[in-house]
Each structure stands twice: as structure tokens, then as C-alpha cells.
Coordinates of all heavy atoms in Angstrom, one line a residue:
M8 N 266.6 256.2 21.0 CA 267.7 257.2 20.9 C 267.4 258.3 21.9 O 266.3 258.8 22.0 CB 267.7 257.8 19.5 CG 268.8 258.8 19.2 SD 268.7 259.6 17.6 CE 268.7 258.2 16.4
K9 N 268.5 258.6 22.6 CA 268.4 259.7 23.6 C 268.4 261.1 22.9 O 268.9 261.2 21.7 CB 269.5 259.7 24.6 CG 269.5 258.5 25.5 CD 270.7 258.4 26.3 CE 270.8 259.5 27.3 NZ 272.0 259.4 28.2
I10 N 267.9 262.1 23.5 CA 267.9 263.4 22.9 C 269.3 263.9 22.6 O 269.6 264.4 21.5 CB 267.2 264.5 23.8 CG1 265.7 264.1 24.0 CG2 267.3 265.9 23.2 CD1 265.0 264.9 25.0
S11 N 270.2 263.6 23.5 CA 271.6 264.0 23.2 C 272.2 263.2 22.0 O 273.0 263.8 21.3 CB 272.5 263.8 24.5 OG 272.4 262.4 24.9
E12 N 271.8 262.0 21.9 CA 272.3 261.2 20.7 C 271.7 261.8 19.4 O 272.4 261.8 18.4 CB 271.9 259.7 20.9 CG 272.7 259.1 22.0 CD 272.1 257.7 22.4 OE1 270.9 257.4 22.0 OE2 272.8 256.9 23.0
F13 N 270.5 262.2 19.5 CA 269.9 262.7 18.3 C 270.6 264.1 17.9 O 270.9 264.3 16.8 CB 268.4 263.0 18.5 CG 267.7 263.6 17.3 CD1 267.6 262.9 16.1 CD2 267.2 264.9 17.4 CE1 266.9 263.5 15.0 CE2 266.6 265.5 16.3 CZ 266.5 264.8 15.1
Q14 N 270.8 264.9 18.9 CA 271.4 266.2 18.6 C 272.8 266.0 18.1 O 273.2 266.7 17.1 CB 271.5 267.0 19.9 CG 271.9 268.5 19.7 CD 271.7 269.4 20.9 OE1 271.1 269.0 21.8 NE2 272.3 270.6 20.8
K15 N 273.6 265.0 18.6 CA 274.9 264.7 18.1 C 274.8 264.2 16.6 O 275.6 264.6 15.8 CB 275.5 263.6 19.0 CG 276.9 263.1 18.5 CD 278.0 264.1 18.6 CE 279.4 263.5 18.4 NZ 279.6 262.9 17.2
L16 N 273.8 263.4 16.3 CA 273.6 262.9 15.0 C 273.4 264.0 14.0 O 274.0 264.1 12.9 CB 272.4 261.9 14.9 CG 272.0 261.5 13.5 CD1 273.1 260.7 12.8 CD2 270.7 260.6 13.7
I17 N 272.5 264.9 14.4 CA 272.2 266.1 13.5 C 273.5 267.0 13.4 O 273.7 267.5 12.3 CB 271.0 266.9 14.1 CG1 269.7 266.0 14.1 CG2 270.8 268.2 13.3 CD1 269.3 265.5 12.7
E18 N 274.3 267.1 14.4 CA 275.5 267.9 14.3 C 276.5 267.2 13.3 O 277.1 267.8 12.5 CB 276.2 268.0 15.7 CG 275.6 269.0 16.6 CD 276.2 269.0 18.0 OE1 277.3 268.4 18.2 OE2 275.7 269.6 18.9
D19 N 276.6 265.9 13.4 CA 277.5 265.1 12.5 C 277.0 265.3 11.1 O 277.8 265.5 10.2 CB 277.5 263.6 12.9 CG 278.2 263.4 14.2 OD1 278.9 264.3 14.7 OD2 278.0 262.3 14.7
L20 N 275.7 265.3 10.9 CA 275.2 265.4 9.5 C 275.3 266.8 9.0 O 275.6 267.0 7.8 CB 273.7 265.0 9.5 CG 273.4 263.5 9.7 CD1 271.9 263.3 10.0 CD2 273.8 262.7 8.5
Y21 N 274.9 267.8 9.8 CA 274.7 269.1 9.2 C 275.4 270.3 9.9 O 275.2 271.4 9.4 CB 273.2 269.4 9.3 CG 272.3 268.4 8.6 CD1 271.4 267.7 9.3 CD2 272.4 268.2 7.2 CE1 270.6 266.7 8.6 CE2 271.6 267.3 6.5 CZ 270.7 266.5 7.3 OH 269.9 265.6 6.6
Y22 N 276.2 270.1 10.9 CA 276.7 271.2 11.7 C 277.5 272.2 10.8 O 277.4 273.4 10.9 CB 277.5 270.8 12.9 CG 277.9 272.0 13.7 CD1 276.9 272.5 14.7 CD2 279.1 272.6 13.6 CE1 277.3 273.7 15.4 CE2 279.4 273.8 14.4 CZ 278.5 274.3 15.3 OH 278.8 275.4 16.0
E23 N 278.4 271.6 9.9 CA 279.2 272.4 9.1 C 278.4 273.3 8.2 O 278.6 274.5 8.1 CB 280.1 271.5 8.3 CG 281.4 272.2 7.8 CD 282.4 271.3 7.2 OE1 282.7 270.2 7.8 OE2 282.9 271.6 6.1
K24 N 277.4 272.8 7.5 CA 276.5 273.6 6.7 C 275.7 274.6 7.5 O 275.6 275.8 7.1 CB 275.5 272.7 6.0 CG 276.1 271.8 4.9 CD 275.0 271.0 4.2 CE 275.5 270.0 3.2 NZ 274.5 269.1 2.7
D25 N 275.2 274.1 8.6 CA 274.4 275.0 9.4 C 275.2 276.2 10.0 O 274.7 277.3 10.1 CB 273.7 274.3 10.6 CG 272.6 273.3 10.0 OD1 272.2 273.5 8.9 OD2 272.3 272.3 10.7
S26 N 276.4 275.8 10.4 CA 277.3 276.8 11.0 C 277.7 277.9 10.0 O 277.7 279.1 10.3 CB 278.5 276.1 11.5 OG 279.4 277.1 12.1
S27 N 278.0 277.5 8.8 CA 278.4 278.5 7.7 C 277.1 279.3 7.3 O 277.3 280.4 6.9 CB 279.1 277.8 6.6 OG 278.2 276.9 5.9
R28 N 275.9 278.7 7.3 CA 274.7 279.4 7.0 C 274.5 280.5 8.1 O 274.0 281.6 7.8 CB 273.5 278.5 6.9 CG 272.2 279.2 6.5 CD 271.0 278.3 6.6 NE 271.2 277.1 5.9 CZ 271.3 275.9 6.5 NH1 271.3 275.8 7.8 NH2 271.4 274.8 5.8
G29 N 274.7 280.2 9.3 CA 274.6 281.1 10.4 C 273.2 280.9 11.1 O 272.3 280.4 10.6
R30 N 273.2 281.5 12.3 CA 272.0 281.3 13.2 C 270.8 281.9 12.6 O 269.7 281.3 12.6 CB 272.4 282.0 14.5 CG 271.3 281.8 15.6 CD 271.5 282.5 16.8 NE 271.5 284.0 16.5 CZ 271.6 284.9 17.4 NH1 271.9 284.6 18.7 NH2 271.6 286.2 17.1
D31 N 270.9 283.1 12.1 CA 269.6 283.8 11.7 C 269.0 283.1 10.5 O 267.8 282.9 10.5 CB 270.0 285.3 11.3 CG 270.3 286.1 12.6 OD1 270.3 285.5 13.7 OD2 270.7 287.3 12.4
R32 N 269.8 282.8 9.5 CA 269.2 282.1 8.3 C 268.8 280.7 8.7 O 267.8 280.2 8.1 CB 270.2 282.1 7.2 CG 270.4 283.5 6.5 CD 271.4 283.5 5.4 NE 271.0 282.6 4.3 CZ 271.9 281.8 3.6 NH1 273.1 281.9 3.8 NH2 271.4 281.0 2.7
T33 N 269.5 280.1 9.6 CA 269.0 278.7 10.0 C 267.7 278.8 10.8 O 266.8 278.0 10.6 CB 270.1 278.1 10.9 OG1 271.3 278.0 10.1 CG2 269.7 276.7 11.4
F34 N 267.5 279.9 11.5 CA 266.3 280.1 12.2 C 265.1 280.2 11.2 O 264.0 279.7 11.4 CB 266.3 281.3 13.2 CG 265.1 281.4 14.0 CD1 265.0 280.7 15.2 CD2 264.0 282.2 13.6 CE1 263.8 280.7 16.0 CE2 262.9 282.3 14.4 CZ 262.8 281.5 15.6
M35 N 265.4 280.9 10.1 CA 264.4 281.1 9.1 C 264.0 279.7 8.5 O 262.8 279.5 8.2 CB 264.9 282.0 7.9 CG 265.1 283.4 8.3 SD 263.6 284.2 8.9 CE 262.7 284.3 7.4
W36 N 265.0 278.8 8.3 CA 264.6 277.5 7.9 C 263.8 276.7 8.9 O 262.8 276.0 8.5 CB 265.9 276.7 7.6 CG 266.5 276.9 6.3 CD1 267.6 277.8 6.0 CD2 266.2 276.4 5.0 NE1 267.9 277.8 4.7 CE2 267.0 276.9 4.0 CE3 265.2 275.4 4.7 CZ2 266.9 276.5 2.7 CZ3 265.1 275.1 3.3 CH2 265.9 275.6 2.4
F37 N 264.1 276.9 10.1 CA 263.3 276.3 11.2 C 261.8 276.8 11.1 O 260.9 276.0 11.2 CB 263.9 276.7 12.6 CG 263.1 276.3 13.8 CD1 262.9 275.0 14.1 CD2 262.4 277.3 14.5 CE1 262.1 274.7 15.2 CE2 261.7 277.0 15.6 CZ 261.5 275.7 15.9
T38 N 261.6 278.1 10.9 CA 260.3 278.6 10.9 C 259.5 278.0 9.6 O 258.3 277.8 9.7 CB 260.2 280.1 10.9 OG1 260.9 280.6 9.7 CG2 260.8 280.7 12.1
E39 N 260.3 277.9 8.5 CA 259.7 277.3 7.3 C 259.2 275.8 7.7 O 258.1 275.4 7.3 CB 260.8 277.2 6.2 CG 260.3 276.6 4.9 CD 259.3 277.5 4.2 OE1 259.3 278.7 4.4 OE2 258.6 277.0 3.3
E40 N 260.0 275.1 8.4 CA 259.6 273.7 8.8 C 258.4 273.7 9.7 O 257.6 272.8 9.6 CB 260.8 273.0 9.4 CG 261.9 272.6 8.5 CD 261.5 271.6 7.4 OE1 260.5 270.9 7.6 OE2 262.1 271.7 6.3
V41 N 258.3 274.7 10.6 CA 257.2 274.8 11.4 C 255.9 275.0 10.6 O 254.8 274.4 10.8 CB 257.3 275.9 12.5 CG1 256.0 276.1 13.3 CG2 258.5 275.5 13.5
G42 N 256.1 275.9 9.6 CA 255.0 276.1 8.6 C 254.5 274.8 7.9 O 253.3 274.6 7.7
E43 N 255.5 274.0 7.5 CA 255.2 272.7 6.8 C 254.5 271.8 7.8 O 253.6 271.1 7.4 CB 256.5 272.1 6.3 CG 257.1 272.9 5.1 CD 258.3 272.2 4.6 OE1 258.6 271.1 4.9 OE2 259.0 272.9 3.8
L44 N 254.9 271.8 9.1 CA 254.2 271.0 10.1 C 252.8 271.4 10.2 O 251.8 270.6 10.3 CB 254.9 271.1 11.4 CG 254.2 270.4 12.6 CD1 254.1 268.9 12.3 CD2 255.0 270.6 13.9
A45 N 252.6 272.8 10.3 CA 251.2 273.3 10.4 C 250.4 272.9 9.2 O 249.2 272.4 9.4 CB 251.3 274.8 10.5
R46 N 250.9 272.9 8.0 CA 250.1 272.5 6.8 C 249.8 271.0 6.9 O 248.7 270.6 6.6 CB 250.9 272.8 5.5 CG 250.8 274.3 5.2 CD 251.4 274.6 3.8 NE 252.8 274.5 3.7 CZ 253.7 275.4 4.1 NH1 253.3 276.5 4.7 NH2 255.0 275.2 4.0
A47 N 250.8 270.2 7.3 CA 250.6 268.7 7.4 C 249.5 268.4 8.5 O 248.7 267.5 8.3 CB 251.9 268.0 7.8
M48 N 249.4 269.3 9.5 CA 248.4 269.0 10.6 C 247.0 269.3 10.1 O 246.0 268.7 10.7 CB 248.8 269.8 11.8 CG 250.0 269.2 12.5 SD 250.4 270.1 14.0 CE 249.2 269.4 15.1
V49 N 246.8 270.1 9.1 CA 245.4 270.5 8.7 C 245.0 269.7 7.5 O 243.8 269.8 7.0 CB 245.3 272.0 8.4 CG1 245.6 272.8 9.7 CG2 246.2 272.4 7.3
R50 N 245.8 268.8 7.0 CA 245.4 267.9 5.9 C 244.3 266.9 6.3 O 244.3 266.6 7.5 CB 246.6 267.2 5.3 CG 247.4 268.2 4.5 CD 248.4 267.4 3.6 NE 249.3 268.4 3.0 CZ 250.7 268.4 3.1 NH1 251.2 267.4 3.8 NH2 251.4 269.3 2.6
P51 N 243.5 266.4 5.3 CA 242.5 265.5 5.7 C 243.1 264.2 6.4 O 244.2 263.8 6.0 CB 241.9 265.1 4.3 CG 242.2 266.2 3.4 CD 243.5 266.8 3.9
K52 N 242.3 263.6 7.2 CA 242.8 262.5 8.0 C 242.9 261.2 7.2 O 243.4 260.2 7.7 CB 241.9 262.3 9.2 CG 242.1 263.4 10.3 CD 241.2 263.1 11.5 CE 241.5 264.2 12.5 NZ 240.7 264.0 13.7
D53 N 242.4 261.2 6.0 CA 242.4 260.0 5.2 C 243.8 259.7 4.6 O 244.1 258.6 4.1 CB 241.4 260.0 4.1 CG 241.6 261.1 3.1 OD1 242.5 262.0 3.3 OD2 240.9 261.2 2.1
E54 N 244.7 260.6 4.8 CA 246.1 260.3 4.4 C 246.8 259.4 5.4 O 246.3 259.4 6.6 CB 246.9 261.6 4.2 CG 246.4 262.4 3.0 CD 247.3 263.6 2.7 OE1 248.5 263.6 3.1 OE2 246.8 264.6 2.1
D55 N 247.9 258.8 5.1 CA 248.4 257.8 6.0 C 249.3 258.4 7.1 O 249.8 257.6 8.0 CB 249.3 256.8 5.2 CG 250.5 257.4 4.5 OD1 250.7 258.6 4.7 OD2 251.2 256.7 3.8
G56 N 249.4 259.7 7.1 CA 250.2 260.3 8.2 C 251.7 260.3 8.0 O 252.4 260.8 8.9
T57 N 252.1 259.8 6.9 CA 253.6 259.7 6.7 C 254.2 261.1 6.7 O 255.2 261.4 7.4 CB 253.9 259.0 5.4 OG1 253.4 257.7 5.4 CG2 255.4 258.9 5.1
N58 N 253.6 262.0 5.9 CA 254.1 263.4 5.8 C 254.1 264.0 7.2 O 255.1 264.7 7.6 CB 253.3 264.2 4.8 CG 254.0 265.5 4.6 OD1 255.1 265.6 4.2 ND2 253.2 266.6 4.8
L59 N 253.0 263.9 8.0 CA 252.9 264.5 9.3 C 254.1 264.0 10.2 O 254.7 264.8 10.9 CB 251.6 264.2 9.9 CG 251.3 264.8 11.3 CD1 251.4 266.3 11.2 CD2 250.0 264.3 11.8
R60 N 254.3 262.7 10.1 CA 255.4 262.1 10.9 C 256.7 262.7 10.5 O 257.6 263.1 11.4 CB 255.4 260.6 10.8 CG 254.2 259.9 11.4 CD 254.1 258.5 10.9 NE 255.3 257.7 11.2 CZ 255.5 257.0 12.3 NH1 254.6 257.1 13.3 NH2 256.6 256.3 12.5
E61 N 257.0 262.9 9.2 CA 258.2 263.4 8.7 C 258.4 264.9 9.2 O 259.5 265.3 9.5 CB 258.3 263.3 7.2 CG 258.5 261.9 6.7 CD 258.5 261.8 5.2 OE1 258.3 262.9 4.5 OE2 258.6 260.7 4.7
E62 N 257.3 265.6 9.2 CA 257.4 267.0 9.5 C 257.7 267.2 11.0 O 258.5 268.1 11.4 CB 256.1 267.8 9.2 CG 255.8 267.8 7.7 CD 256.9 268.5 6.9 OE1 257.7 269.2 7.4 OE2 256.9 268.3 5.7
F63 N 257.2 266.3 11.9 CA 257.6 266.3 13.3 C 259.1 266.1 13.4 O 259.8 266.8 14.2 CB 256.8 265.3 14.1 CG 255.5 265.8 14.6 CD1 254.3 265.5 14.1 CD2 255.5 266.7 15.7 CE1 253.1 266.0 14.5 CE2 254.3 267.2 16.2 CZ 253.1 266.8 15.6
A64 N 259.6 265.1 12.6 CA 261.0 264.8 12.7 C 261.8 266.0 12.2 O 262.9 266.3 12.8 CB 261.3 263.6 11.8
D65 N 261.4 266.6 11.1 CA 262.1 267.8 10.6 C 262.2 269.0 11.6 O 263.2 269.6 11.8 CB 261.5 268.3 9.3 CG 261.7 267.3 8.1 OD1 262.6 266.4 8.2 OD2 261.0 267.4 7.1
V66 N 261.0 269.3 12.2 CA 261.0 270.4 13.2 C 262.0 270.1 14.3 O 262.7 271.0 14.7 CB 259.6 270.7 13.6 CG1 259.6 271.6 14.9 CG2 258.7 271.3 12.5
F67 N 261.9 268.9 14.8 CA 262.8 268.5 15.9 C 264.3 268.6 15.5 O 265.1 269.1 16.2 CB 262.5 267.1 16.4 CG 263.0 266.8 17.7 CD1 263.1 267.7 18.8 CD2 263.6 265.5 18.0 CE1 263.6 267.4 20.0 CE2 264.1 265.2 19.2 CZ 264.1 266.1 20.2
A68 N 264.6 268.2 14.2 CA 266.0 268.2 13.7 C 266.4 269.7 13.6 O 267.6 270.0 14.0 CB 266.1 267.5 12.4
W69 N 265.6 270.5 13.1 CA 266.0 272.0 13.0 C 266.1 272.6 14.4 O 267.0 273.5 14.6 CB 265.0 272.7 12.1 CG 265.3 272.4 10.6 CD1 264.6 271.5 9.9 CD2 266.3 273.0 9.8 NE1 265.1 271.5 8.6 CE2 266.2 272.4 8.5 CE3 267.3 274.0 10.0 CZ2 267.0 272.8 7.5 CZ3 268.1 274.3 9.0 CH2 268.0 273.7 7.7
L70 N 265.3 272.2 15.3 CA 265.4 272.7 16.7 C 266.7 272.3 17.3 O 267.4 273.1 17.9 CB 264.2 272.2 17.5 CG 264.2 272.7 19.0 CD1 263.9 274.2 19.0 CD2 263.2 272.0 19.8
A71 N 267.1 271.0 17.0 CA 268.4 270.5 17.5 C 269.5 271.3 16.9 O 270.5 271.6 17.6 CB 268.5 269.0 17.2
T72 N 269.5 271.6 15.6 CA 270.5 272.4 15.0 C 270.6 273.7 15.6 O 271.8 274.2 15.9 CB 270.2 272.5 13.5 OG1 270.7 271.3 12.8 CG2 270.8 273.7 12.8
L73 N 269.5 274.4 15.8 CA 269.6 275.7 16.4 C 270.2 275.7 17.8 O 271.0 276.5 18.2 CB 268.2 276.3 16.5 CG 267.6 276.8 15.2 CD1 266.1 277.2 15.4 CD2 268.4 278.0 14.7
A74 N 269.8 274.7 18.6 CA 270.4 274.5 19.9 C 271.9 274.3 19.8 O 272.7 275.0 20.6 CB 269.8 273.3 20.6
S75 N 272.4 273.5 18.9 CA 273.8 273.3 18.7 C 274.5 274.6 18.3 O 275.6 274.9 18.8 CB 274.0 272.3 17.6 OG 273.6 271.0 18.0
L76 N 273.9 275.4 17.4 CA 274.5 276.7 17.1 C 274.7 277.6 18.2 O 275.5 278.5 18.3 CB 273.7 277.3 15.9 CG 273.8 276.7 14.6 CD1 272.9 277.4 13.6 CD2 275.2 276.6 14.0
E77 N 273.8 277.4 19.2 CA 273.8 278.3 20.4 C 274.6 277.6 21.5 O 274.7 278.2 22.6 CB 272.4 278.5 20.9 CG 271.5 279.4 20.0 CD 272.0 280.8 19.9 OE1 272.3 281.4 21.0 OE2 272.1 281.3 18.8
G78 N 275.2 276.4 21.3 CA 276.0 275.7 22.3 C 275.1 275.2 23.4 O 275.6 275.0 24.6
I79 N 273.9 274.9 23.1 CA 273.0 274.4 24.1 C 272.7 272.9 23.9 O 272.4 272.5 22.8 CB 271.6 275.2 24.1 CG1 271.9 276.6 24.6 CG2 270.5 274.5 24.8 CD1 270.7 277.6 24.5
S80 N 272.7 272.1 25.0 CA 272.3 270.7 25.0 C 270.8 270.7 25.3 O 270.3 271.0 26.3 CB 273.0 270.0 26.1 OG 272.3 268.7 26.4
L81 N 270.0 270.2 24.2 CA 268.6 270.1 24.4 C 268.3 269.2 25.6 O 267.3 269.4 26.4 CB 267.9 269.6 23.1 CG 267.6 270.5 22.0 CD1 267.0 269.8 20.9 CD2 266.7 271.6 22.6
E82 N 269.0 268.1 25.7 CA 268.7 267.1 26.7 C 268.9 267.7 28.1 O 268.0 267.6 29.0 CB 269.6 265.9 26.6 CG 269.3 264.8 27.6 CD 269.9 263.5 27.2 OE1 269.5 262.9 26.2 OE2 270.7 263.0 28.0
E83 N 269.9 268.5 28.3 CA 270.1 269.2 29.6 C 269.0 270.2 29.9 O 268.5 270.2 31.0 CB 271.5 269.9 29.6 CG 272.7 269.0 29.8 CD 274.0 269.8 29.8 OE1 274.0 271.0 30.0 OE2 275.0 269.1 29.5
V84 N 268.7 271.0 28.9 CA 267.7 272.1 29.2 C 266.3 271.5 29.5 O 265.6 272.1 30.3 CB 267.7 273.2 28.2 CG1 269.0 273.9 28.1 CG2 267.3 272.7 26.8
V85 N 265.9 270.5 28.8 CA 264.6 269.9 29.0 C 264.6 269.2 30.4 O 263.6 269.3 31.1 CB 264.1 269.0 27.9 CG1 263.9 269.8 26.6 CG2 264.9 267.8 27.7
Q86 N 265.7 268.6 30.7 CA 265.8 267.9 32.0 C 265.7 269.0 33.2 O 265.0 268.8 34.1 CB 267.1 267.1 32.2 CG 267.3 266.5 33.5 CD 266.3 265.5 33.9 OE1 265.8 264.7 33.0 NE2 265.8 265.4 35.1
E87 N 266.5 270.1 33.0 CA 266.5 271.2 34.0 C 265.1 271.7 34.1 O 264.6 272.0 35.3 CB 267.5 272.3 33.5 CG 268.9 271.9 33.7 CD 269.8 272.9 33.0 OE1 269.4 274.0 32.6 OE2 271.0 272.6 32.8
K88 N 264.4 272.0 33.0 CA 263.1 272.7 33.1 C 261.9 271.8 33.5 O 261.1 272.1 34.2 CB 262.8 273.4 31.8 CG 261.5 274.2 31.9 CD 261.5 275.5 31.1 CE 260.3 276.3 31.4 NZ 260.2 277.5 30.6
Y89 N 261.9 270.6 32.9 CA 260.7 269.7 33.0 C 261.0 268.4 33.8 O 260.1 267.6 34.0 CB 260.2 269.4 31.6 CG 259.6 270.6 30.9 CD1 260.4 271.2 29.9 CD2 258.4 271.1 31.3 CE1 259.9 272.3 29.3 CE2 257.9 272.2 30.6 CZ 258.7 272.9 29.6 OH 258.2 274.0 29.0
G90 N 262.3 268.2 34.2 CA 262.6 266.9 34.8 C 261.9 266.6 36.1 O 261.8 265.5 36.5
K91 N 261.5 267.7 36.8 CA 260.8 267.5 38.1 C 259.3 267.8 38.0 O 258.7 268.1 39.0 CB 261.5 268.4 39.1 CG 262.9 268.0 39.4 CD 263.6 268.9 40.4 CE 265.0 268.4 40.7 NZ 265.8 269.5 41.3
G92 N 258.8 267.8 36.8 CA 257.3 268.0 36.6 C 257.1 269.4 36.0 O 258.0 270.0 35.5
C93 N 255.9 269.9 36.2 CA 255.6 271.2 35.6 C 256.5 272.3 36.3 O 256.6 272.3 37.5 CB 254.1 271.5 35.9 SG 253.6 273.2 35.5
P94 N 257.1 273.1 35.4 CA 258.0 274.2 36.0 C 257.3 275.1 36.9 O 257.9 275.7 37.8 CB 258.5 274.9 34.8 CG 258.3 274.0 33.6 CD 257.1 273.2 34.0
K95 N 255.9 275.3 36.8 CA 255.2 276.2 37.7 C 254.7 275.6 38.9 O 255.0 276.0 40.0 CB 254.0 276.9 36.9 CG 254.5 277.8 35.8 CD 253.3 278.5 35.1 CE 253.8 279.4 34.0 NZ 252.7 279.8 33.1
C96 N 253.9 274.5 38.8 CA 253.3 273.9 40.0 C 254.1 272.7 40.5 O 253.8 272.2 41.6 CB 251.9 273.5 39.7 SG 251.8 272.1 38.5
E97 N 255.1 272.3 39.7 CA 256.0 271.2 40.1 C 255.2 269.8 40.2 O 255.8 268.9 40.8 CB 256.8 271.5 41.3 CG 257.7 272.7 41.1 CD 258.6 273.0 42.3 OE1 258.3 272.5 43.4 OE2 259.6 273.7 42.2
A98 N 254.0 269.8 39.8 CA 253.2 268.5 39.8 C 253.3 267.8 38.5 O 253.6 268.4 37.5 CB 251.7 268.8 40.2
N99 N 253.0 266.5 38.6 CA 253.0 265.7 37.4 C 251.8 264.7 37.5 O 252.0 263.7 38.3 CB 254.3 265.0 37.1 CG 254.3 264.1 35.9 OD1 253.3 264.2 35.1 ND2 255.4 263.4 35.6
P100 N 250.7 264.8 36.9 CA 250.4 265.9 35.8 C 250.2 267.3 36.4 O 250.0 267.4 37.6 CB 249.2 265.4 35.1 CG 248.5 264.5 36.2 CD 249.6 263.9 37.0
C101 N 250.4 268.2 35.6 CA 250.3 269.6 35.9 C 248.9 269.9 36.5 O 247.9 269.4 36.0 CB 250.5 270.5 34.7 SG 250.0 272.2 34.8
T102 N 248.9 270.7 37.6 CA 247.6 271.1 38.2 C 247.4 272.6 38.1 O 246.5 273.2 38.8 CB 247.6 270.7 39.7 OG1 248.8 271.3 40.3 CG2 247.7 269.2 39.9
C103 N 248.2 273.3 37.2 CA 247.9 274.7 37.0 C 246.6 275.0 36.4 O 246.1 274.2 35.6 CB 249.0 275.3 36.0 SG 250.7 275.3 36.6
L104 N 246.0 276.1 36.7 CA 244.7 276.5 36.1 C 245.1 277.1 34.7 O 246.0 277.8 34.6 CB 244.0 277.5 36.9 CG 243.5 277.0 38.3 CD1 242.9 278.2 39.1 CD2 242.5 275.9 38.2
E105 N 244.3 276.8 33.7 CA 244.6 277.3 32.3 C 244.2 278.7 32.2 O 243.4 279.2 32.9 CB 243.9 276.4 31.3 CG 244.5 275.1 31.2 CD 244.4 274.5 29.8 OE1 244.5 275.2 28.8 OE2 244.3 273.2 29.8
Ligands
ZN205 ZN1 251.6 273.2 36.4

């Protein structure tokens, strides 16, 4: 699935709800999901990773929703910024000093 297809899917599923909730409250939900991802990442490694995988999906879905509320195509902006390599050194892989 392309990023644009995923963003469209999330719009079809949730745009009406997300739009009526509004940008600010939707951003709060996004930060909540980031917190859930953080918690999933610090859990013991003996779990099967299912929850961690779901949390990555959730964070990406909420990010897509926020982009849609702002009228931004995630696929376009990532292509613009990272499509030619590192935005700073323009190399791939990046050769910037940390
Ligand atoms: Zn770089």
C-alpha cells in the first residue's frame, strides 16, 4: 500500500469523526497514541510483539489523520523532504556528523 492510499483509507474510515472533533483534540489523541507506542517499546522482549506492531500502525494512522485535517499529503511531503536523500547532506546514507 502506498502512503497516499493509506492516508485515503484513513480519511474514508475516520475523516468525518476527526473533522468534527477538530485539529487540537485530534492532536491530543495522537500524543496519547505516541505514549502507548512508548510503553509498548519498553515492555519485555518475551512478548510476541503484536501490541508493538499495532502501536506503530496506530501512530501512523493518527499522523495521517492530522495531515488530512491540515490538507497535507504525507506522500508528497516525505517525497519532497527525503526523496533525494538526507535533507541536509543530500547523501544516502546520511553522512552528517551527529
Ligand atoms: Zn545527512
Side-chain angles (χ1 to χ4, degrees):
M8 186 186 299
K9 295 174 66 176
I10 295 170
S11 59
E12 292 170 342
F13 178 69
Q14 188 169 351
K15 174 70 166 61
L16 171 64
I17 296 300
E18 284 178 11
D19 291 345
L20 288 168
Y21 302 120
Y22 187 83
E23 202 171 313
K24 288 181 186 173
D25 293 337
S26 181
S27 61
R28 183 188 308 109
R30 184 187 66 176
D31 293 354
R32 288 181 57 218
T33 300
F34 188 84
M35 292 301 291
W36 277 99
F37 169 72
T38 62
E39 180 73 21
E40 288 297 335
V41 171
E43 289 180 13
L44 174 61
R46 286 190 288 280
M48 289 182 76
V49 298
R50 285 194 187 124
K52 289 184 178 177
D53 59 357
E54 291 188 22
D55 64 2
T57 300
N58 187 56
L59 182 59
R60 292 165 57 86
E61 288 177 1
E62 295 304 341
F63 271 104
D65 288 344
V66 168
F67 194 42
W69 283 98
L70 182 68
T72 276
L73 285 173
S75 294
L76 290 176
E77 292 294 314
I79 287 173
S80 160
L81 276 180
E82 185 163 295
E83 282 180 21
V84 296
V85 297
Q86 177 62 38
E87 286 166 14
K88 183 149 190 184
Y89 296 100
K91 293 177 181 166
C93 171
K95 289 182 183 171
C96 68
E97 298 183 343
N99 182 6
C101 169
T102 56
C103 295
L104 297 173
E105 289 209 38

